[in-house]
Structures are given as structure tokens and as C-alpha cells.
Amino acid sequence: SQTIHQWPATLVQPVGSPLSLECTVEGTSNPNLYWYRQAAGRGLQLLFYSVGIGQISSEVPQNLSASRPQDRQFILSSKKLLLSDSGFYLCARGEGYFPTDTQYFGPGTRLTVL
Amino acid sequence: AQTVTQSQPEMSVQEAETVTLSCTYDTSESDYYLFWYKQPPSRQMILVIRQEAYKQQNATENRFSVNFQKAAKSFSLKISDSQLGDAAMYFCAYRSAYNAGNNRKLIWGLGTSLAVNP
């Protein structure tokens, strides 16, 4: 079966500190990978997607960045966190061919920036 | 641009009863995909059901079924024999079948919070 892991599950960080969230996928090769953010009481906002190693597309200009150093690893980073970066971050893998793949989500990371 | 509207912020249903959640969307495209996702208190987003616009037959998945009305741009979710574990936020989402610009995105509704009463 295909499993998505996200680490850490919960994170509290001060404003201005760096960020690194990790997403790893098991049971599949060369998956399409996605990073979403969900603010409290709102829908999902697509941040980045990747169709292969080193291939990153950004959907929203901001102080976040993403990298895909390995086939099944997707990392979300920031050099300096803002208060507005607080939220629930979800990684998803796509099943099928981009861009009509069906997305399956990981358990998420809850980020609080103080 | 495509939009997805869920007009019911909150709904409730008695255990074992049937409930229908509404979703409408706006698009000028003829080929697309529609999804219902469930987000329980754990906040993990779980795919409930998927519908291809070119298929006239409504998708079903165990106790979950959809009523897809393409001309009306309506995509409602019916949950039969509701269970306590069905309590969650339900999101409707749209995705274009065309690979261009913003069409790569899933367009999300704001969700319907479903409570299941014992």
C-alpha cells in the first residue's frame, strides 16, 4: 500500500526562525507530490507541486520554498517564519497522470508561529 | 475562473439516517473531475468519492453516493445509514482535465461541517 508520512506532527516556532517540514511517500515511485496549507476554518491553498526530482512549481509567491531531493521526499522550508505562516500543512501524492491525478493526503503538520 | 460553492456551513443528521450535502460549481469547461473529501477531527484529508464529468453514471462508494447534475453544475453527496464516524468537515473540490495554467489546481469549497447525533 502507499503511505504518506509527514514530520513533525506539531511544531511551535518563533517569528523569524527557519522551518523545515518533511513529507515522505512509501510504496510508489516517481509520484506527483503537493504541499497545501489550510488556515483555521478555511479551505486548502496549494503552495507547491512537483512532478519529479528537482522539479518544483510554485503556486503562491511567499517566503516559503520547496525542494525534492529524492524521488519520494518533498520538503517545505522557510528561512524566516512570519505569523501568517501558521496553519495546517498537508502533503499529498497524486495517483494517475498529472494534472488529472487523484490526490491522497498525509496526516499533516500543525504549525504555530508565535 | 472556476469556483466551488458549498452553501451549507453546518449540517446534522441522526445516526442511521441519510443526509445530503450540497455542492455547486461554476465552469465553462466540458471535461473535469469532481471530488468529495472528508476531514475528521484528526484533520487528515480523506478522499471519499471521485466523479469524472464525462461519465453520466453517478459514482458510489459503499454508503456514499453522489448526484451529479452536469447541466445544473451540481454535485451533491449522499451519506446513507450515517455513522458516528462520519462526523467531519466535508469538502467538495473541482479539477480541470486540461493542463494549462491554473487548471492544474484543485479548486476547493469552504466545507460543510457534519455532526452525527446518536
Side-chain angles (χ1 to χ4, degrees):
Chain A
S1 64
Q2 299 172 16
T3 304
I4 305 173
H5 300 281
Q6 287 191 242
W7 184 89
T10 305
L11 190 60
V12 180
Q13 291 284 94
V15 170
S17 64
L19 173 75
S20 181
L21 302 182
E22 184 171 337
C23 170
T24 58
V25 180
E26 292 180 359
T28 184
S29 61
N30 197 31
N32 300 324
L33 295 173
Y34 302 82
W35 275 114
Y36 285 89
R37 177 169 61 202
Q38 184 181 30
R42 303 181 74 98
L44 273 69
Q45 177 188 35
L46 178 63
L47 302 176
F48 301 94
Y49 67 90
S50 172
V51 298
I53 296 174
Q55 301 179 58
I56 308 294
S57 295
S58 173
E59 289 292 319
V60 183
Q62 56 200 338
N63 69 319
L64 298 173
S65 62
S67 62
R68 187 168 176 175
Q70 300 180 43
D71 181 40
R72 289 174 284 183
Q73 185 184 33
F74 202 24
I75 297 173
L76 183 69
S77 303
S78 174
K79 292 182 180 178
K80 287 186 177 182
L81 282 169
L82 306 174
L83 287 174
S84 58
D85 291 325
S86 291
F88 191 64
Y89 288 81
L90 287 154
C91 177
R93 64 166 180 85
E95 187 170 285
Y97 294 104
F98 183 85
T100 57
D101 50 341
T102 296
Q103 295 177 25
Y104 296 89
F105 289 81
T109 294
R110 188 185 309 272
L111 172 66
T112 303
V113 182
L114 301 175
Chain B
Q2 297 88 7
T3 58
V4 175
T5 302
Q6 294 180 249
S7 59
Q8 306 151 316
E10 297 178 350
M11 291 195 70
S12 63
V13 63
Q14 290 297 123
E15 196 175 4
E17 297 294 309
T18 296
V19 64
T20 299
L21 308 184
S22 300
C23 173
T24 58
Y25 56 95
D26 187 27
T27 184
S28 59
E29 298 175 335
S30 59
D31 197 10
Y32 47 87
Y33 299 85
L34 296 165
F35 305 87
W36 278 100
Y37 282 89
K38 166 186 176 181
Q39 189 175 38
S42 67
R43 297 196 71 179
Q44 179 163 6
M45 196 70 75
I46 301 166
L47 176 67
V48 175
I49 207 162
R50 161 185 156 132
Q51 174 81 43
E52 292 91 343
Y54 63 85
K55 289 187 177 178
Q56 292 186 337
Q57 186 174 6
N58 289 325
T60 63
E61 195 70 45
N62 300 316
R63 296 182 294 107
F64 298 87
S65 62
V66 298
N67 183 4
F68 173 48
Q69 301 289 328
K70 191 172 183 180
K73 297 179 184 175
S74 171
F75 183 60
S76 60
L77 175 70
K78 185 172 83 171
I79 307 174
S80 303
D81 185 25
S82 297
Q83 300 175 1
L84 295 177
D86 294 333
M89 183 74 82
Y90 286 82
F91 290 94
C92 178
Y94 168 104
R95 193 171 195 187
S96 170
Y98 304 100
N99 182 17
N102 277 341
N103 289 346
R104 300 185 188 100
K105 288 184 183 179
L106 268 172
I107 310 298
W108 296 83
L110 292 181
T112 296
S113 178
L114 177 66
V116 180
N117 303 315

